[in-house]
Amino acid sequence: ALARDGYMQTVADLRGTPDPMLAGMAWNDLGLLYRELGDDDQSLQAYRSAEIAWKASGNSDGLTETRVNEAEAALDRDDVNAATTLFDTALAYYSSHDRQRERAHAWGGLGRGAIARSNWTEARRRLLASRDGAHAAGAATLEIAAYLALGDLDLHQRQVAQASHDYAEAHRLS
């Protein structure tokens, strides 16, 4: 509650001296906070406010980051189609701007979405791209997430030994 109150005060302060970029950051972070608290409606409302602020500032990086957060929230709600659309859009943006770490995140989200659709071939291809991209970018958290998702995929396919290997790699990196 204290963190939420702090963010709300920041947003209120920004209304007096509007800076769309700062407002976008504050609303995006507030969306993350609400998501952590399990308040999906408030989270989505904050993300929508962030999008408005990012568009007003012309900040495509911030807008894409907010949309990736929305995609993660959509996966949490099992709205795989919305998540896939948002992750695809982010992947295209990050690819055109040579953003390897962020691209790895989008690949991972697309891989998890493919698991939810039981599309094992697509899931493996995207998760391997996420793992390799995260490794190349030095993004250990994303690499760990990719190994964990690969382990989950292997379990779905009853490849227990490979799943154990993937989980062990995730543990080793953590």
Side-chain angles (χ1 to χ4, degrees), residues 4 6 11 20 41 45 48-49 56 60 62 64 68 71 89 102 107 115 122 124 145 151 156 160 164 172:
R4 184 191 70 228
V11 169
D41 292 336
Q45 187 176 13
R48 297 293 181 258
S49 295
S60 297
T64 304
V68 166
T89 301
E102 291 83 358
W107 277 117
I115 289 173
E122 178 186 346
R124 185 165 308 282
H156 281 294
V160 177
S164 293
R172 181 186 66 76

PDB file of all heavy atoms in Angstrom, residues 4 6 11 20 41 45 48-49 56 60 62 64 68 71 89 102 107 115 122 124 145 151 156 160 164 172:
ATOM      1  N   ARG A   4       2.174   1.854  -3.523  1.00  0.00           N
ATOM      2  CA  ARG A   4       1.097   2.342  -4.372  1.00  0.00           C
ATOM      3  C   ARG A   4       0.801   3.809  -4.068  1.00  0.00           C
ATOM      4  O   ARG A   4       0.655   4.631  -4.964  1.00  0.00           O
ATOM      5  CB  ARG A   4      -0.161   1.501  -4.168  1.00  0.00           C
ATOM      6  CG  ARG A   4      -1.289   1.916  -5.117  1.00  0.00           C
ATOM      7  CD  ARG A   4      -2.617   1.302  -4.768  1.00  0.00           C
ATOM      8  NE  ARG A   4      -3.085   1.923  -3.537  1.00  0.00           N
ATOM      9  CZ  ARG A   4      -3.546   1.258  -2.485  1.00  0.00           C
ATOM     10  NH1 ARG A   4      -3.605  -0.041  -2.496  1.00  0.00           N
ATOM     11  NH2 ARG A   4      -3.955   1.896  -1.417  1.00  0.00           N
ATOM     12  N   GLY A   6       2.822   6.011  -2.870  1.00  0.00           N
ATOM     13  CA  GLY A   6       3.934   6.807  -3.392  1.00  0.00           C
ATOM     14  C   GLY A   6       3.810   7.060  -4.879  1.00  0.00           C
ATOM     15  O   GLY A   6       4.023   8.181  -5.354  1.00  0.00           O
ATOM     16  N   VAL A  11       2.086  10.540  -9.541  1.00  0.00           N
ATOM     17  CA  VAL A  11       1.172  10.824 -10.647  1.00  0.00           C
ATOM     18  C   VAL A  11       0.419  12.119 -10.385  1.00  0.00           C
ATOM     19  O   VAL A  11       0.264  12.955 -11.282  1.00  0.00           O
ATOM     20  CB  VAL A  11       0.210   9.627 -10.859  1.00  0.00           C
ATOM     21  CG1 VAL A  11      -0.909  10.002 -11.812  1.00  0.00           C
ATOM     22  CG2 VAL A  11       0.988   8.427 -11.399  1.00  0.00           C
ATOM     23  N   PRO A  20       5.112  14.242 -20.004  1.00  0.00           N
ATOM     24  CA  PRO A  20       4.567  12.967 -20.462  1.00  0.00           C
ATOM     25  C   PRO A  20       5.518  11.782 -20.267  1.00  0.00           C
ATOM     26  O   PRO A  20       5.074  10.674 -19.979  1.00  0.00           O
ATOM     27  CB  PRO A  20       4.280  13.201 -21.940  1.00  0.00           C
ATOM     28  CG  PRO A  20       4.135  14.670 -22.075  1.00  0.00           C
ATOM     29  CD  PRO A  20       5.052  15.265 -21.032  1.00  0.00           C
ATOM     30  N   ASP A  41      -7.650  -5.092 -12.975  1.00  0.00           N
ATOM     31  CA  ASP A  41      -8.361  -3.938 -13.536  1.00  0.00           C
ATOM     32  C   ASP A  41      -7.559  -2.647 -13.364  1.00  0.00           C
ATOM     33  O   ASP A  41      -7.416  -1.863 -14.298  1.00  0.00           O
ATOM     34  CB  ASP A  41      -9.735  -3.782 -12.885  1.00  0.00           C
ATOM     35  CG  ASP A  41     -10.683  -4.923 -13.258  1.00  0.00           C
ATOM     36  OD1 ASP A  41     -10.469  -5.555 -14.314  1.00  0.00           O
ATOM     37  OD2 ASP A  41     -11.627  -5.181 -12.492  1.00  0.00           O
ATOM     38  N   GLN A  45      -5.737  -0.344 -16.254  1.00  0.00           N
ATOM     39  CA  GLN A  45      -6.042   1.091 -16.318  1.00  0.00           C
ATOM     40  C   GLN A  45      -4.749   1.921 -16.264  1.00  0.00           C
ATOM     41  O   GLN A  45      -4.591   2.899 -17.003  1.00  0.00           O
ATOM     42  CB  GLN A  45      -6.979   1.475 -15.178  1.00  0.00           C
ATOM     43  CG  GLN A  45      -7.476   2.891 -15.260  1.00  0.00           C
ATOM     44  CD  GLN A  45      -8.484   3.194 -14.159  1.00  0.00           C
ATOM     45  OE1 GLN A  45      -8.645   2.451 -13.200  1.00  0.00           O
ATOM     46  NE2 GLN A  45      -9.156   4.315 -14.305  1.00  0.00           N
ATOM     47  N   ARG A  48      -2.999   1.699 -19.583  1.00  0.00           N
ATOM     48  CA  ARG A  48      -3.647   2.562 -20.580  1.00  0.00           C
ATOM     49  C   ARG A  48      -3.217   4.021 -20.390  1.00  0.00           C
ATOM     50  O   ARG A  48      -2.949   4.728 -21.362  1.00  0.00           O
ATOM     51  CB  ARG A  48      -5.175   2.461 -20.478  1.00  0.00           C
ATOM     52  CG  ARG A  48      -5.754   1.104 -20.770  1.00  0.00           C
ATOM     53  CD  ARG A  48      -5.588   0.689 -22.232  1.00  0.00           C
ATOM     54  NE  ARG A  48      -6.181  -0.621 -22.455  1.00  0.00           N
ATOM     55  CZ  ARG A  48      -5.490  -1.748 -22.541  1.00  0.00           C
ATOM     56  NH1 ARG A  48      -4.187  -1.734 -22.438  1.00  0.00           N
ATOM     57  NH2 ARG A  48      -6.091  -2.895 -22.759  1.00  0.00           N
ATOM     58  N   SER A  49      -3.131   4.449 -19.146  1.00  0.00           N
ATOM     59  CA  SER A  49      -2.668   5.823 -18.870  1.00  0.00           C
ATOM     60  C   SER A  49      -1.216   5.996 -19.298  1.00  0.00           C
ATOM     61  O   SER A  49      -0.836   7.052 -19.825  1.00  0.00           O
ATOM     62  CB  SER A  49      -2.827   6.143 -17.382  1.00  0.00           C
ATOM     63  OG  SER A  49      -4.192   6.159 -17.019  1.00  0.00           O
ATOM     64  N   ALA A  56       1.938  10.818 -26.048  1.00  0.00           N
ATOM     65  CA  ALA A  56       2.059  12.286 -25.972  1.00  0.00           C
ATOM     66  C   ALA A  56       3.517  12.726 -26.020  1.00  0.00           C
ATOM     67  O   ALA A  56       3.829  13.793 -26.555  1.00  0.00           O
ATOM     68  CB  ALA A  56       1.394  12.797 -24.690  1.00  0.00           C
ATOM     69  N   SER A  60       8.566   5.875 -28.189  1.00  0.00           N
ATOM     70  CA  SER A  60       8.220   4.531 -28.655  1.00  0.00           C
ATOM     71  C   SER A  60       8.817   3.437 -27.780  1.00  0.00           C
ATOM     72  O   SER A  60       8.221   2.367 -27.630  1.00  0.00           O
ATOM     73  CB  SER A  60       8.684   4.337 -30.101  1.00  0.00           C
ATOM     74  OG  SER A  60       8.016   5.245 -30.946  1.00  0.00           O
ATOM     75  N   GLY A  62       9.271   3.530 -24.472  1.00  0.00           N
ATOM     76  CA  GLY A  62       8.401   3.412 -23.305  1.00  0.00           C
ATOM     77  C   GLY A  62       7.075   2.764 -23.652  1.00  0.00           C
ATOM     78  O   GLY A  62       6.569   1.915 -22.912  1.00  0.00           O
ATOM     79  N   THR A  64       6.463   0.648 -26.047  1.00  0.00           N
ATOM     80  CA  THR A  64       6.676  -0.777 -26.287  1.00  0.00           C
ATOM     81  C   THR A  64       6.894  -1.520 -24.978  1.00  0.00           C
ATOM     82  O   THR A  64       6.373  -2.624 -24.784  1.00  0.00           O
ATOM     83  CB  THR A  64       7.858  -0.991 -27.258  1.00  0.00           C
ATOM     84  OG1 THR A  64       7.597  -0.258 -28.458  1.00  0.00           O
ATOM     85  CG2 THR A  64       8.045  -2.455 -27.593  1.00  0.00           C
ATOM     86  N   VAL A  68       4.699  -4.636 -23.570  1.00  0.00           N
ATOM     87  CA  VAL A  68       5.248  -5.927 -23.130  1.00  0.00           C
ATOM     88  C   VAL A  68       4.701  -6.277 -21.746  1.00  0.00           C
ATOM     89  O   VAL A  68       4.332  -7.424 -21.481  1.00  0.00           O
ATOM     90  CB  VAL A  68       6.797  -5.902 -23.136  1.00  0.00           C
ATOM     91  CG1 VAL A  68       7.374  -7.082 -22.375  1.00  0.00           C
ATOM     92  CG2 VAL A  68       7.318  -5.892 -24.572  1.00  0.00           C
ATOM     93  N   ALA A  71       1.358  -7.504 -22.242  1.00  0.00           N
ATOM     94  CA  ALA A  71       1.396  -8.867 -22.780  1.00  0.00           C
ATOM     95  C   ALA A  71       1.613  -9.891 -21.666  1.00  0.00           C
ATOM     96  O   ALA A  71       0.963 -10.942 -21.639  1.00  0.00           O
ATOM     97  CB  ALA A  71       2.501  -8.987 -23.834  1.00  0.00           C
ATOM     98  N   THR A  89       4.207  -7.440 -31.793  1.00  0.00           N
ATOM     99  CA  THR A  89       4.443  -6.018 -32.070  1.00  0.00           C
ATOM    100  C   THR A  89       5.750  -5.564 -31.416  1.00  0.00           C
ATOM    101  O   THR A  89       6.555  -4.856 -32.040  1.00  0.00           O
ATOM    102  CB  THR A  89       3.260  -5.176 -31.565  1.00  0.00           C
ATOM    103  OG1 THR A  89       2.071  -5.626 -32.217  1.00  0.00           O
ATOM    104  CG2 THR A  89       3.473  -3.700 -31.838  1.00  0.00           C
ATOM    105  N   GLU A 102      15.676  -6.972 -25.026  1.00  0.00           N
ATOM    106  CA  GLU A 102      14.231  -6.829 -25.106  1.00  0.00           C
ATOM    107  C   GLU A 102      13.635  -7.824 -26.101  1.00  0.00           C
ATOM    108  O   GLU A 102      12.534  -8.346 -25.899  1.00  0.00           O
ATOM    109  CB  GLU A 102      13.864  -5.396 -25.484  1.00  0.00           C
ATOM    110  CG  GLU A 102      14.163  -4.383 -24.397  1.00  0.00           C
ATOM    111  CD  GLU A 102      15.611  -3.912 -24.368  1.00  0.00           C
ATOM    112  OE1 GLU A 102      16.453  -4.390 -25.173  1.00  0.00           O
ATOM    113  OE2 GLU A 102      15.922  -3.042 -23.535  1.00  0.00           O
ATOM    114  N   TRP A 107      10.610 -12.861 -27.392  1.00  0.00           N
ATOM    115  CA  TRP A 107      10.666 -14.257 -27.846  1.00  0.00           C
ATOM    116  C   TRP A 107      10.182 -15.198 -26.741  1.00  0.00           C
ATOM    117  O   TRP A 107       9.452 -16.154 -27.001  1.00  0.00           O
ATOM    118  CB  TRP A 107      12.089 -14.645 -28.241  1.00  0.00           C
ATOM    119  CG  TRP A 107      12.519 -14.260 -29.620  1.00  0.00           C
ATOM    120  CD1 TRP A 107      13.529 -13.398 -29.948  1.00  0.00           C
ATOM    121  CD2 TRP A 107      11.988 -14.712 -30.866  1.00  0.00           C
ATOM    122  NE1 TRP A 107      13.635 -13.291 -31.310  1.00  0.00           N
ATOM    123  CE2 TRP A 107      12.703 -14.092 -31.901  1.00  0.00           C
ATOM    124  CE3 TRP A 107      10.959 -15.595 -31.201  1.00  0.00           C
ATOM    125  CZ2 TRP A 107      12.432 -14.319 -33.241  1.00  0.00           C
ATOM    126  CZ3 TRP A 107      10.681 -15.811 -32.548  1.00  0.00           C
ATOM    127  CH2 TRP A 107      11.420 -15.173 -33.548  1.00  0.00           C
ATOM    128  N   ILE A 115       3.303 -22.460 -25.889  1.00  0.00           N
ATOM    129  CA  ILE A 115       3.062 -23.586 -24.969  1.00  0.00           C
ATOM    130  C   ILE A 115       1.580 -23.616 -24.597  1.00  0.00           C
ATOM    131  O   ILE A 115       0.947 -24.681 -24.598  1.00  0.00           O
ATOM    132  CB  ILE A 115       3.930 -23.476 -23.698  1.00  0.00           C
ATOM    133  CG1 ILE A 115       5.404 -23.752 -24.016  1.00  0.00           C
ATOM    134  CG2 ILE A 115       3.438 -24.455 -22.627  1.00  0.00           C
ATOM    135  CD1 ILE A 115       6.347 -23.503 -22.843  1.00  0.00           C
ATOM    136  N   GLU A 122       6.650 -24.488 -32.386  1.00  0.00           N
ATOM    137  CA  GLU A 122       6.803 -23.028 -32.309  1.00  0.00           C
ATOM    138  C   GLU A 122       7.348 -22.613 -30.941  1.00  0.00           C
ATOM    139  O   GLU A 122       8.228 -21.753 -30.841  1.00  0.00           O
ATOM    140  CB  GLU A 122       5.463 -22.335 -32.548  1.00  0.00           C
ATOM    141  CG  GLU A 122       5.551 -20.828 -32.434  1.00  0.00           C
ATOM    142  CD  GLU A 122       4.196 -20.147 -32.519  1.00  0.00           C
ATOM    143  OE1 GLU A 122       3.203 -20.769 -32.929  1.00  0.00           O
ATOM    144  OE2 GLU A 122       4.148 -18.956 -32.164  1.00  0.00           O
ATOM    145  N   ARG A 124       9.272 -24.295 -28.860  1.00  0.00           N
ATOM    146  CA  ARG A 124      10.705 -24.605 -28.742  1.00  0.00           C
ATOM    147  C   ARG A 124      11.543 -23.610 -29.535  1.00  0.00           C
ATOM    148  O   ARG A 124      12.541 -23.091 -29.054  1.00  0.00           O
ATOM    149  CB  ARG A 124      10.998 -26.042 -29.193  1.00  0.00           C
ATOM    150  CG  ARG A 124      12.451 -26.422 -28.962  1.00  0.00           C
ATOM    151  CD  ARG A 124      12.691 -27.916 -29.054  1.00  0.00           C
ATOM    152  NE  ARG A 124      11.801 -28.695 -28.232  1.00  0.00           N
ATOM    153  CZ  ARG A 124      11.918 -28.869 -26.903  1.00  0.00           C
ATOM    154  NH1 ARG A 124      12.905 -28.283 -26.255  1.00  0.00           N
ATOM    155  NH2 ARG A 124      11.060 -29.604 -26.244  1.00  0.00           N
ATOM    156  N   ALA A 145      14.614 -17.571 -17.195  1.00  0.00           N
ATOM    157  CA  ALA A 145      13.194 -17.724 -17.539  1.00  0.00           C
ATOM    158  C   ALA A 145      13.025 -18.621 -18.763  1.00  0.00           C
ATOM    159  O   ALA A 145      12.105 -19.445 -18.827  1.00  0.00           O
ATOM    160  CB  ALA A 145      12.556 -16.362 -17.771  1.00  0.00           C
ATOM    161  N   GLY A 151      12.006 -26.170 -19.761  1.00  0.00           N
ATOM    162  CA  GLY A 151      11.741 -27.312 -18.891  1.00  0.00           C
ATOM    163  C   GLY A 151      10.260 -27.641 -18.845  1.00  0.00           C
ATOM    164  O   GLY A 151       9.861 -28.820 -18.920  1.00  0.00           O
ATOM    165  N   HIS A 156       5.704 -31.118 -20.782  1.00  0.00           N
ATOM    166  CA  HIS A 156       4.490 -31.306 -21.586  1.00  0.00           C
ATOM    167  C   HIS A 156       4.694 -32.397 -22.622  1.00  0.00           C
ATOM    168  O   HIS A 156       3.750 -33.114 -22.963  1.00  0.00           O
ATOM    169  CB  HIS A 156       4.089 -30.006 -22.291  1.00  0.00           C
ATOM    170  CG  HIS A 156       3.396 -29.023 -21.428  1.00  0.00           C
ATOM    171  ND1 HIS A 156       2.151 -29.230 -20.882  1.00  0.00           N
ATOM    172  CD2 HIS A 156       3.782 -27.788 -21.002  1.00  0.00           C
ATOM    173  CE1 HIS A 156       1.798 -28.189 -20.177  1.00  0.00           C
ATOM    174  NE2 HIS A 156       2.768 -27.298 -20.216  1.00  0.00           N
ATOM    175  N   VAL A 160      11.381 -36.028 -19.695  1.00  0.00           N
ATOM    176  CA  VAL A 160      11.738 -35.745 -18.309  1.00  0.00           C
ATOM    177  C   VAL A 160      13.230 -35.458 -18.148  1.00  0.00           C
ATOM    178  O   VAL A 160      13.619 -34.530 -17.429  1.00  0.00           O
ATOM    179  CB  VAL A 160      11.283 -36.897 -17.387  1.00  0.00           C
ATOM    180  CG1 VAL A 160      11.706 -36.659 -15.949  1.00  0.00           C
ATOM    181  CG2 VAL A 160       9.769 -37.066 -17.480  1.00  0.00           C
ATOM    182  N   SER A 164      14.750 -31.974 -16.760  1.00  0.00           N
ATOM    183  CA  SER A 164      15.652 -31.913 -15.600  1.00  0.00           C
ATOM    184  C   SER A 164      16.901 -31.121 -15.937  1.00  0.00           C
ATOM    185  O   SER A 164      17.375 -30.318 -15.128  1.00  0.00           O
ATOM    186  CB  SER A 164      16.031 -33.319 -15.141  1.00  0.00           C
ATOM    187  OG  SER A 164      14.907 -33.985 -14.637  1.00  0.00           O
ATOM    188  N   ARG A 172      21.555 -23.368 -12.025  1.00  0.00           N
ATOM    189  CA  ARG A 172      22.977 -23.017 -12.096  1.00  0.00           C
ATOM    190  C   ARG A 172      23.159 -21.524 -12.365  1.00  0.00           C
ATOM    191  O   ARG A 172      24.018 -20.869 -11.764  1.00  0.00           O
ATOM    192  CB  ARG A 172      23.665 -23.840 -13.189  1.00  0.00           C
ATOM    193  CG  ARG A 172      25.169 -23.581 -13.331  1.00  0.00           C
ATOM    194  CD  ARG A 172      25.759 -24.327 -14.523  1.00  0.00           C
ATOM    195  NE  ARG A 172      25.277 -23.857 -15.799  1.00  0.00           N
ATOM    196  CZ  ARG A 172      25.674 -22.724 -16.397  1.00  0.00           C
ATOM    197  NH1 ARG A 172      26.572 -21.953 -15.832  1.00  0.00           N
ATOM    198  NH2 ARG A 172      25.174 -22.371 -17.575  1.00  0.00           N
TER     199      ARG A 172
END
